[in-house]
Amino acid sequence: MTDTARIDVLLATLNAADVGSLDAIAEKMGQVQRDLDSLGQADLAGAAGEALTALRRGDVAEFRRGRAFLQSKIGHLR
């Protein structure tokens, strides 16, 4: 899979990370974090980890901010 295709999958996953159980959303965010790390985007992977931590502690506003930040930054990777 090309990097562009992987980025499209990441964006689709982030867009879907507001529907479902907390466990399902956390799994999606964890996958985004792992994929960003494998793409060599350590800073963005760290931001995904921070958003995941916010979700786990119940800070929905911070999670949403983190997800929006990732959507913006990942969109620029194309």
Side-chain angles (χ1 to χ4, degrees), residues 11-29:
L11 288 171
T13 302
L14 284 171
N15 288 335
D18 63 349
V19 177
S21 69
L22 289 179
D23 288 338
I25 294 170
E27 177 53 38
K28 289 173 189 170
M29 190 57 69

Side-chain angles (χ1 to χ4, degrees), residues 47-64:
E50 290 172 13
L52 181 56
T53 299
L55 179 67
R56 288 186 174 145
R57 72 172 179 262
D59 189 345
V60 176
E62 185 61 29
F63 168 75
R64 287 183 179 164

